[in-house]
Amino acid sequence: MSEQILLPQSVVEVEAIATVNAIHFVQELSLPSVIFEGDFEIIIKALWSEDDSFSSYGHLIAEAKVCSDSFLSCCFSHFHK
């Protein structure tokens, strides 16, 4: 999966877009349970948070949260390099 993104605001925004795209891809596969692993701690913490994100990528976090509700089980995990 690759996509050109014209003039992204920040690296965090690109990571948020990648997260949403990954969720959509897994939805297309109709997998009931998933674990998403990422190395960008800011995104993972935003996905764990119950609060709304008012950042420039907050709408992407909100979309990811809504879409992740379609899975029987969904976990977001941060891994360190």
Side-chain angles (χ1 to χ4, degrees):
M1 293 176 54
S2 67
E3 177 181 349
Q4 276 190 324
I5 301 170
L6 300 175
L7 301 172
Q9 295 278 331
S10 64
V11 173
V12 179
E13 187 174 327
V14 173
E15 289 289 331
I17 292 168
T19 301
V20 170
N21 288 344
I23 293 170
H24 286 277
F25 176 68
V26 174
Q27 282 178 319
E28 290 176 19
L29 297 175
S30 299
L31 299 175
S33 300
V34 294
I35 298 172
F36 294 99
E37 292 183 339
D39 63 350
F40 219 84
E41 190 173 11
I42 295 170
I43 296 296
I44 300 301
K45 283 184 176 181
L47 291 166
W48 284 342
S49 175
E50 293 182 15
D51 298 329
D52 292 333
S53 175
F54 296 107
S55 62
S56 62
Y57 53 89
H59 63 291
L60 297 166
I61 297 299
E63 181 178 353
K65 287 179 179 181
V66 167
C67 291
S68 67
D69 285 342
S70 68
F71 301 110
L72 183 61
S73 172
C74 179
C75 177
F76 296 99
S77 176
H78 175 253
F79 66 87
H80 303 276
K81 291 183 178 182

